[in-house]
Amino acid sequence: MGYLRFLRANAPWLAAGVLLAFLSSFGQTFFIAVFAGEIRAEFGLSHGAWGLIYTAGTGASALAMLYAGVLTDRFRARALGAAVLALLAGACLVMAAVPAVWALPVAVFLLRFAGQGMTSHIALVAMARWFVATRGRALSTATLGVAGGEAFLPLIFVAAMGLFDWRALWVVAAAVALAGVPLLLALLRRERLPASMAAESTSTLGMGAAHWTRGAAVRHWLFWCMAPALLGPPAFTTAFFFQQVHFAEVKGWTHLDLVALFPVYTATSVAAMLLSGWALDRLGTARLMPWFQLPMVGAFLLLAFAPTPALALPGLVLMAATTGANATLPNAFWAEFYGTRHLGAIKAMAAAIMVLGSAVGPGLTGTLIDAGLGIETQFLGIAAYFVAASACMAAGVWRAAPALPPRPA
């Protein structure tokens, strides 16, 4: 099936995935970080203090994901998605009205849980469950929504801050999120039946020709071989975007000079998403997973040493290559290796680890900045981390791959 034919045949469901992924932007670090300078200035926060607040709120959202993530195994995306988008709109209003420092962790928790956590979780679980032979294309298509938000929302809102108060812009974000509810309901008037609601469904079996439960998956050694790779991209891409204002200051660039590179980053991420989705449908995750995080090594080395924005651009391109593949490959991995019947519960555990990573990155880098360890030096250590994480993941995937059932045609 050609890609255009695939899009036409599945337009409502794919559009719903794109919509949810796009609206999750309001709880993603690349959007929240746009307001970092204003938040720190208004509440008198250092880089470390703001990082720790962000870590606390995001860490709490990771814990909440362990319990809320399983709801995707019990409720249709139509109903659950609408409820979560309403919660996301409320979270934006909380950030708009936050009265003091004590309320910042609450606002961050709500944004991260409803946005990065549940909204994106619903979109990705739906794609992985509704599509089997074309799972890679479905996942890469849906995650175009995040790519669109990443490309345009920072530019739009950074420019808008020259005209409007930062709190007013969070009210705008709330209105956009709330507008997504009727659109989602319209797109999913005829929602596909989640595989887990069909008790006898065997559309996708995991290792050993079984549908694994979350408890069995967590007790399996492969899950923990994957853990460093699950933590890495959210921890350190989040840290980069979270510290974007500080990074630009250290380099002697304007914030707008750095933000202007983001559309190239996003275009590369989109290309990597589509390419990885195409490769996934043909090769499976076992052949691709061991390699896809290695571009991060070059990315952080280049960013550490780049003297100008133009020379930082290749680093962002390499980062985007992994970011794009990370949007498709791990989400397909859980379905391929552990089956689809309990996919929501298993992926909720994985999502909690990823959200935890996005909590650790800002707090760790902010604390180290306050302690005198420069962001460029930190990037060298991050590059070494990705070498080790890729080696651990490769060892686990190669050992487990022989237990997989035959891939669907």
Side-chain angles (χ1 to χ4, degrees), residues 131-231:
F131 299 88
V132 180
T134 56
R135 181 177 291 131
R137 273 173 283 182
L139 285 165
S140 62
T141 301
T143 49
L144 290 174
V146 177
E150 199 169 52
F152 299 111
L153 291 178
L155 278 173
I156 292 169
F157 279 79
V158 167
M161 276 193 289
L163 301 172
F164 303 101
D165 181 72
W166 68 272
R167 292 178 182 270
L169 296 178
W170 278 107
V171 176
V172 173
V176 174
L178 198 58
V181 174
L183 183 54
L184 180 70
L185 295 175
L187 289 169
L188 295 183
R189 285 193 304 268
R190 296 184 299 109
E191 183 180 342
R192 288 175 169 173
L193 182 69
S196 65
M197 293 181 181
E200 301 303 319
S201 172
T202 56
S203 60
T204 303
L205 295 167
M207 294 177 292
H211 286 291
W212 292 60
T213 65
R214 180 162 76 176
V218 171
R219 290 191 296 270
H220 191 250
W221 51 266
L222 176 59
F223 188 94
W224 298 106
C225 285
M226 292 293 297
L230 291 174
L231 280 167

Side-chain angles (χ1 to χ4, degrees), residues 46-347:
S46 68
H47 291 286
W50 170 228
L52 289 175
I53 287 171
Y54 199 78
T55 293
T58 304
S61 73
L63 182 62
M65 279 297 299
L66 290 175
Y67 300 96
V70 301
L71 295 175
T72 54
D73 289 333
R74 302 173 187 171
F75 298 97
R76 290 178 180 269
R78 184 177 192 268
L80 187 59
V84 169
L85 287 180
L87 178 62
L88 178 58
C92 292
L93 292 177
V94 170
M95 179 59 88
V98 66
V101 170
W102 63 263
L104 275 175
V106 177
V108 170
F109 163 74
L110 290 171
L111 285 169
R112 302 292 277 159
F113 171 69
Q116 186 209 23
M118 286 300 294
T119 303
S120 60
H121 179 64
I122 294 166
L124 296 174
V125 169
M127 296 301 104
R129 179 172 281 145
W130 292 343
F131 299 88
V132 180
T134 56
R135 181 177 291 131
R137 273 173 283 182
L139 285 165
S140 62
T141 301
T143 49
L144 290 174
V146 177
E150 199 169 52
F152 299 111
L153 291 178
L155 278 173
I156 292 169
F157 279 79
V158 167
M161 276 193 289
L163 301 172
F164 303 101
D165 181 72
W166 68 272
R167 292 178 182 270
L169 296 178
W170 278 107
V171 176
V172 173
V176 174
L178 198 58
V181 174
L183 183 54
L184 180 70
L185 295 175
L187 289 169
L188 295 183
R189 285 193 304 268
R190 296 184 299 109
E191 183 180 342
R192 288 175 169 173
L193 182 69
S196 65
M197 293 181 181
E200 301 303 319
S201 172
T202 56
S203 60
T204 303
L205 295 167
M207 294 177 292
H211 286 291
W212 292 60
T213 65
R214 180 162 76 176
V218 171
R219 290 191 296 270
H220 191 250
W221 51 266
L222 176 59
F223 188 94
W224 298 106
C225 285
M226 292 293 297
L230 291 174
L231 280 167
F236 299 119
T237 56
T238 296
F240 172 77
F241 284 107
F242 185 82
Q243 302 293 358
Q244 60 183 267
V245 175
H246 174 70
F247 178 69
E249 290 172 354
V250 167
K251 291 292 190 179
W253 311 335
T254 69
H255 187 199
L256 194 57
D257 284 340
L258 180 60
V259 170
L261 302 179
F262 290 177
V264 179
Y265 168 91
T266 302
T268 305
S269 179
V270 169
M273 277 191 286
L274 295 174
L275 180 61
S276 64
W278 173 87
L280 192 160
D281 290 338
R282 285 154 180 77
L283 302 175
T285 57
R287 295 181 182 179
L288 301 173
M289 291 292 287
W291 312 107
F292 83 99
Q293 291 193 5
L294 290 178
M296 283 291 198
V297 179
F300 280 97
L301 290 175
L302 286 168
L303 289 170
F305 294 112
T308 65
L311 293 176
L313 188 58
L316 284 175
V317 168
L318 287 174
M319 185 188 294
T322 291
T323 302
N326 195 59
T328 58
L329 295 181
N331 293 300
F333 170 85
W334 303 113
E336 188 170 332
F337 276 74
Y338 291 104
T340 57
R341 184 168 297 165
H342 307 287
L343 179 61
I346 293 171
K347 194 182 174 304

